[in-house]
């Protein structure tokens, strides 16, 4: 394995890192991330982020697909999957659809349909990938969704004009989906309306800006490139600082009762 940031050999300064394993949360900053060898990927740098080893019910990955980089099959056999293009472009395909995704593009593939991707652009593509075992609900099912989040309008977040969100999937109206992906944006100075404490877990990748984030009982500075896993009932909330919007993509399980 080698460092994702390209660091090799000794540093000129002491070793420091902002990553934290806390009470109900994990923070991974880019400097400490490593490349992982994951079967199915070729000509890709893959970093594993959230995992069941953290306590997550899902797995998250950060992938740099070089020219010709591809994966021969993600998901299927009970595993639902999702891919989001942070930058660049890739071709994606499952049994239902085939599409060229550019920045902001995404595919959700249900648990019975693995999908593939290939970078045919000649330039690096940066991808966020998610996998989770689907929880069936009698009489319903999920379906393939392909789109670009840049085509989705922002909605005011719980009545706040300077905090807004976007939904990737129709889980608010379709119980066939047991999870969703969201974009949350805070203008400088904006914040959550309250410290949330809920059953749902989050995997969060920060795409832009910087802010202060409440995790458990700690206020922690986070910025573009950071990743956070948040376990059930971990108190959480944030406010944006600086001069640009604070934006992150995150997953949330939904539409299922508690298993006893």
């Amino acid at each position: 394995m080698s460092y994702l940031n390209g660091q090799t050999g000794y540093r000129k300064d002491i070793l420091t890192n902002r990553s934290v394993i806390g009470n109900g949360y994990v923070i991974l900053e880019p400097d400490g991330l490593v490349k992982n060898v994951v079967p199915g990927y070729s000509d890709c740098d893959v970093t594993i982020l959230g995992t069941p080893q953290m306590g997550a019910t899902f797995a998250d990955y950060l992938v740099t697909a070089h020219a010709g980089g591809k994966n021969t099959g993600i998901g299927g056999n009970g595993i639902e999957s999702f891919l989001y293009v942070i930058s660049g472009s890739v071709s994606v395909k499952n049994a239902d659809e085939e599409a060229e995704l550019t920045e902001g593009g995404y595919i959700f593939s249900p648990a019975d349909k693995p999908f593939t991707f290939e970078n045919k652009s000649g330039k690096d593509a940066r991808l966020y990938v998610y996998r989770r075992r689907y929880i069936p609900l009698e009489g319903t099912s999920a379906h393939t969704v392909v789109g670009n989040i840049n085509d989705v309008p922002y909605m005011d977040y719980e009545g706040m004009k300077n905090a807004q969100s976007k939904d990737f999937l129709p889980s608010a109206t379709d119980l066939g989906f047991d999870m969703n992906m969201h974009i949350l944006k805070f203008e400088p100075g904006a914040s959550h309306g309250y410290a949330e404490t809920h059953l749902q877990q989050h995997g969060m990748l920060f795409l832009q800006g910087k802010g202060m984030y409440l995790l458990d009982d700690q206020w922690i500075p986070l910025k573009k490139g950071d990743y956070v896993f948040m376990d059930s009932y971990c108190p959480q909330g944030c406010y944006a600082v600086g001069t640009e919007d604070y934006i992150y993509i995150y997953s949330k399980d939904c539409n299922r009762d508690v298993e006893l």
Side-chain angles (χ1 to χ4, degrees):
M1 295 185 293
S2 59
Y3 287 109
L4 183 67
N5 63 7
Q7 171 68 32
T8 57
Y10 292 111
R11 290 198 168 186
K12 295 180 180 179
D13 204 346
I14 60 174
L15 297 180
T16 60
N17 192 276
R18 294 184 297 107
S19 296
V20 176
I21 300 176
N23 181 25
Y25 66 92
V26 174
I27 298 170
L28 300 178
E29 68 137 307
D31 192 60
L33 298 179
V34 299
K35 300 173 187 176
N36 303 109
V37 176
V38 180
Y41 289 89
S42 60
D43 293 317
C44 294
D45 297 332
V46 182
T47 293
I48 301 174
L49 300 170
T51 64
Q53 284 82 351
M54 284 181 182
T57 59
F58 54 83
D60 280 330
Y61 308 77
L62 187 61
V63 179
T64 298
H66 303 297
K70 59 185 177 180
N71 188 288
T72 54
I74 297 173
N77 294 319
I79 303 297
E80 59 192 348
S81 50
F82 175 89
L83 178 148
Y84 173 72
V85 180
I86 301 170
S87 62
S89 64
V90 292
S91 301
V92 296
K93 182 179 181 181
N94 73 359
D96 296 327
E97 296 199 38
E98 184 173 0
E100 183 73 17
L101 302 183
T102 56
E103 182 174 332
Y106 64 94
I107 180 172
F108 168 85
S109 196
D112 60 340
K113 294 180 174 68
F115 77 87
T116 62
F117 74 78
E118 183 174 1
N119 182 1
K120 302 176 182 179
S121 70
K123 298 180 181 179
D124 284 356
R126 200 161 177 81
L127 315 172
Y128 183 47
V129 177
Y130 168 99
R131 297 167 58 244
R132 183 173 184 265
R133 183 163 294 280
Y134 180 63
I135 302 174
L137 180 65
E138 186 176 356
T140 70
S141 62
H143 56 83
T144 300
V145 179
V146 175
N148 191 299
I149 200 63
N150 294 320
D151 298 328
V152 178
Y154 273 109
M155 304 175 293
D156 290 346
Y157 185 65
E158 298 187 344
M160 296 180 287
K161 298 292 185 182
N162 59 355
Q164 296 183 310
S165 65
K166 296 184 181 189
D167 296 340
F168 287 82
L169 305 176
S171 62
T173 57
D174 189 340
L175 293 180
F177 290 84
D178 69 343
M179 56 78 60
N180 205 339
M181 284 280 178
H182 310 271
I183 291 279
L184 199 51
K185 177 184 74 171
F186 295 91
E187 296 178 9
S191 70
H192 283 84
Y194 52 93
E196 297 182 6
T197 49
H198 49 62
L199 170 66
Q200 292 78 17
Q201 294 184 337
H202 292 322
M204 309 159 62
L205 182 65
F206 290 81
L207 303 175
Q208 180 182 299
K210 55 189 175 182
M212 295 297 297
Y213 219 103
L214 174 65
L215 294 165
D216 188 30
D217 61 350
Q218 302 293 317
W219 283 99
I220 301 171
L222 296 175
K223 63 180 182 178
K224 176 182 178 179
D226 290 341
Y227 174 84
V228 172
F229 162 67
M230 188 185 308
D231 209 346
S232 300
Y233 299 111
C234 178
Q236 64 107 358
C238 77
Y239 61 87
V241 302
T243 59
E244 63 179 342
D245 294 340
Y246 194 35
I247 301 174
Y248 57 92
I249 182 174
Y250 68 102
S251 61
K252 181 173 72 176
D253 45 300
C254 61
N255 294 342
R256 297 295 183 269
D257 201 355
V258 178
E259 294 188 16
L260 301 177

